[in-house]
Amino acid sequence: MSNTSPDNLREPYYLVHEELLRRNLEKISGVAKKADVEIILAFKAFALWKTFDIFRHYISATTASSPFEAQLAKEKFKSLAHTYSPAYEDRTFHTILECSQSITFNSIHQYEHFYPYIEAWNAEKKNHHISVAMRVNPEHSEIATDIYNPCLRGTRFGIAASALPFPLPTGVTGLHVHCLCENDSFALERMLKAVETKFAKWLPQINTLNLGGGHLITRKDYNTEHLIKVLKSFKKRHPNIHIIMEPGSAFAWQTGELIAHVVDTVEDKGIKTAILNVSFTCHMPDCLEMPYWPDIEGAETLPGATDEEVITAPDVWRLGGNSCLSGDFMGYWRFPGGLHIGDKIVFKDMIHYTTVKTNMFNGIQHPSIRMRCTNGTVKVLRRYKYHDYRNMMD
């Protein structure tokens, strides 16, 4: 936070730090080498393609969940994607074929419908073979927040062991399992035990096991030595299986901020709200969905505070976005010295699951995207203007 000055009255922006990004990439690639597994980038959490030149020094592939993401992998990452979608469509499946090295199906019906396309493709394209996998449901959950729980009762993701054909359908050489969300290596260990218990008879039939995302390898307290031990132990028991992991958050974890400013301050019934030139619903959607409570530079986060407790506290504020959504706010934070119009607000750890999920509701200006390079210079990767909003409505 800083005092009012003309320099602060500028557009909001996300700031990625190249040095921190490389730090995460080095850690991830080091784990992959030591454990002899493949770790790839999930676009659903981070897809700033102007940073892909950096990524390619550390990893060689990505995962896609749609035709657009698959195209991004081929065009900008310069490699074919590991693709999974809950449901493919005939009208776009040729794009999936052109841009994928592996395709995972969510249901037997999807496999039966689209496998003939893959079979024909592999027969014709001798230099571009596509492998096939099935997503399975281990019926094991490590996630407390239902909106992120893929193994919730009635889930639309994957096939339970009781419904999976034995032997596996023709051409299927891999299984895909995902039931983690920013979890540690001990959660992965429990997940693998569930997989080995429920899918034991299928494991000798496959050569690839995709462990999905949710592995927060770069979190400070993550036990990477335990992770490596768990993975090596599994590979020793199943030497026929190549392991793939596709975290998203781990790559961009704590690599940058969202910079905003206070535009106005209002008060109602003793509750003080600072209105910003960014929006929670537009620019920080996980804050409302998760809910994820971000740390703010120079402020104390008070996630347990109630309205009644803060009415008499002069330095405790709720923060409000600049959209028309009534619920576009979060509270509370303690700002020593209070808040004033023009003050800068720095939301920490705002790079993963932000730019990929933002929207232009209300036509609110999207924060620009910048990168602080290792030499100290700041590069503008993208600045959004009116025509970006206009063209979405075209």
Side-chain angles (χ1 to χ4, degrees), residues 248-267:
S249 296
F251 284 96
W253 183 256
Q254 296 185 341
T255 58
E257 307 86 26
L258 173 60
I259 314 299
H261 290 84
V262 177
V263 178
D264 196 9
T265 59
V266 297
E267 183 174 339

Side-chain angles (χ1 to χ4, degrees), residues 135-141 150-151 157-161 176-180 190-196 198-199:
R135 177 162 178 170
V136 294
N137 175 11
E139 299 175 274
H140 172 87
S141 179
C151 295
F157 293 131
I159 306 167
H176 177 120
V177 55
H178 173 58
C179 62
L180 302 180
R190 292 189 292 271
M191 183 187 87
L192 283 174
K193 286 182 180 178
V195 170
E196 288 183 289
K198 292 180 179 293
F199 297 95

Side-chain angles (χ1 to χ4, degrees), residues 7-25:
D7 182 56
N8 285 329
L9 304 179
R10 58 189 179 187
E11 66 181 9
Y13 60 96
Y14 298 97
L15 180 64
V16 184
H17 296 267
E18 180 184 353
E19 181 180 358
L20 300 179
L21 190 61
R22 287 185 181 275
R23 178 200 64 188
N24 284 354
L25 284 161

Side-chain angles (χ1 to χ4, degrees), residues 137-141 143 145-158 160 179:
N137 175 11
E139 299 175 274
H140 172 87
S141 179
I143 303 170
T145 306
D146 284 349
I147 193 173
Y148 297 115
N149 184 0
C151 295
L152 191 69
R153 183 169 182 250
T155 182
R156 59 194 171 93
F157 293 131
C179 62

Side-chain angles (χ1 to χ4, degrees), residues 187-386:
L188 171 63
E189 186 174 32
R190 292 189 292 271
M191 183 187 87
L192 283 174
K193 286 182 180 178
V195 170
E196 288 183 289
T197 299
K198 292 180 179 293
F199 297 95
K201 65 181 181 181
W202 289 277
L203 294 181
Q205 299 179 29
I206 63 173
N207 56 35
T208 301
L209 177 63
N210 188 321
L211 299 179
H215 318 280
L216 199 45
I217 298 169
T218 52
R219 189 173 61 196
K220 185 180 296 186
D221 61 350
Y222 193 100
N223 191 332
T224 54
E225 293 305 314
H226 178 252
L227 170 65
I228 293 167
K229 179 181 177 181
V230 167
L231 293 172
K232 282 186 171 181
S233 177
F234 182 88
K235 287 173 64 66
K236 187 175 182 179
R237 295 192 298 274
H238 308 281
N240 57 300
I241 297 178
H242 171 65
I243 292 178
I244 297 174
M245 303 168 70
E246 47 180 43
S249 296
F251 284 96
W253 183 256
Q254 296 185 341
T255 58
E257 307 86 26
L258 173 60
I259 314 299
H261 290 84
V262 177
V263 178
D264 196 9
T265 59
V266 297
E267 183 174 339
D268 180 63
K269 296 179 175 59
I271 297 173
K272 299 178 296 298
T273 302
I275 301 178
L276 311 179
N277 61 348
V278 295
S279 160
F280 288 101
T281 189
C282 295
H283 310 134
M284 300 172 276
D286 275 355
C287 289
L288 301 183
E289 290 180 5
M290 184 74 172
Y292 165 66
W293 207 287
D295 287 333
I296 295 175
E297 187 175 284
E300 178 188 358
T301 307
L302 304 172
T306 64
D307 293 349
E308 291 72 20
E309 290 172 334
V310 304
I311 287 176
T312 58
D315 56 353
V316 175
W317 289 74
R318 173 187 284 176
L319 297 181
N322 57 345
S323 80
C324 291
L325 177 69
S326 298
D328 190 3
F329 70 87
M330 288 193 75
Y332 294 92
W333 289 265
R334 175 173 283 112
F335 292 87
L339 282 180
H340 308 87
I341 294 173
D343 281 351
K344 181 167 70 174
I345 303 294
V346 180
F347 291 97
K348 296 182 179 181
D349 196 20
M350 275 292 163
I351 301 304
H352 59 92
Y353 281 107
T354 49
T355 53
V356 292
K357 296 179 74 172
T358 55
N359 60 73
M360 289 187 171
F361 171 60
N362 271 177
I364 294 171
Q365 181 179 350
H366 193 292
S368 62
I369 303 172
R370 308 179 189 185
M371 182 170 70
R372 186 180 297 280
C373 304
T374 52
N375 62 10
T377 62
V378 176
K379 180 191 303 183
V380 177
L381 302 182
R382 176 68 190 275
R383 178 171 280 117
Y384 295 85
K385 297 295 184 181
Y386 160 70

Side-chain angles (χ1 to χ4, degrees), residues 55 59 61 69 87 97 105 124 140 177 183 210 329 362 389:
F55 274 76
I59 64 172
E69 284 190 344
L97 292 170
F105 292 105
E124 179 182 351
H140 172 87
V177 55
N183 288 116
N210 188 321
F329 70 87
N362 271 177
Y389 169 69

